Amino acid sequence: MTRLLALPLALFAGTAPFHSSTQSLPAPVRTQLKGGIWHRGCPVALWQLRVLTASYVGFDGQAHTGQLVVNRAAAAPLARVFRELYRLRFPIRHLDLASSYGPAAARPADGDVTSSFECRQAVPSPCVGGRGTGTWSEHAYGEAVDLNPLENPYVGCGQSRDPATRRYFNRSLHRPGMVTNAVVRAFATIGWGWGGGWAGSTKDYMHFSATGH
């Protein structure tokens, strides 16, 4: 069994300086992605992906070190975004490769995993149902981040794919982990758009991407 990189460092947020780094995919991570997350025909090759390691504040108020697989072109800009999220003390629930790509039985039961790369089609609005749209998701390029999907659901026509997210439909009632205007501005500084700003009834509050889609 391959082992993913795991860096469970926890320090008091505010006393620990922010740090980030970028590296090519280590062999264990490449193997894990080939297990189903990436396949031949994906719009990016594995050599175009990087592991971004960055500090973040957890829901426990402490500083942790997390990891994402992202497009190599997005790694440095996203490091700047995570620096700002750390400064804002924006809490992130799960940010590690094991939670994103590990065995299904070992992933967090709450599904509240912040992640980026996944070679898949864009997911249709909850208004229409279905699993695919026939077009690549920005996640398939490693140029999108889903941030705290439990607190920031994908909604349409007053419904979501996950009933547990219903208590977060009312965006005027702010709770920890919900995207704020400051978070949106942090991503906007690198030119990324927010799914929560889409026109119409469909909103993807967790979703930030290079194209805004």
Side-chain angles (χ1 to χ4, degrees):
M1 179 182 295
T2 58
R3 296 186 66 185
L4 297 174
L5 295 177
L7 299 171
L9 175 65
L11 297 168
F12 288 110
T15 62
F18 176 86
H19 69 274
S20 66
S21 62
T22 302
Q23 66 180 125
S24 298
L25 300 183
V29 178
R30 292 173 67 92
T31 299
Q32 193 75 22
L33 294 181
K34 288 180 179 179
I37 302 300
W38 179 92
H39 56 81
R40 292 188 182 277
C42 290
V44 294
L46 289 176
W47 65 264
Q48 295 174 284
L49 300 173
R50 298 290 185 269
V51 173
L52 170 63
T53 300
S55 304
Y56 72 97
V57 176
F59 273 68
D60 58 3
Q62 295 182 324
H64 299 263
T65 298
Q67 294 180 312
L68 286 170
V69 173
V70 302
N71 191 289
R72 61 175 182 167
L78 284 174
R80 297 196 296 271
V81 171
F82 277 94
R83 178 182 291 275
E84 179 62 9
L85 298 186
Y86 189 76
R87 188 190 70 80
L88 293 169
R89 297 179 61 84
F90 177 78
I92 296 175
R93 183 85 64 184
H94 304 291
L95 183 66
D96 61 271
L97 301 189
S99 294
S100 295
Y101 307 129
R107 297 180 192 179
D110 57 24
D112 202 16
V113 180
T114 293
S115 62
S116 179
F117 175 74
E118 184 181 356
C119 185
R120 61 170 173 80
Q121 294 182 24
V123 178
S125 167
C127 290
V128 299
R131 294 189 175 184
T133 60
T135 59
W136 288 117
S137 165
E138 289 298 292
H139 290 280
Y141 298 88
E143 295 181 338
V145 170
D146 283 347
L147 196 61
N148 291 342
L150 177 63
E151 291 80 11
N152 301 290
Y154 185 22
V155 301
C157 302
Q159 57 187 329
S160 172
R161 296 171 185 274
D162 182 359
T165 66
R166 180 165 293 278
R167 62 185 182 274
Y168 297 102
F169 281 15
N170 181 358
R171 306 306 290 182
S172 65
L173 179 61
H174 182 76
R175 300 180 184 187
M178 292 173 64
V179 167
T180 64
N181 289 335
V183 172
V184 175
R185 288 194 296 270
F187 279 93
T189 63
I190 66 168
W192 282 35
W194 180 44
W198 292 347
S201 66
T202 298
K203 309 289 185 184
D204 198 351
Y205 293 112
M206 72 183 82
H207 186 74
F208 293 88
S209 70
T211 66
H213 299 292

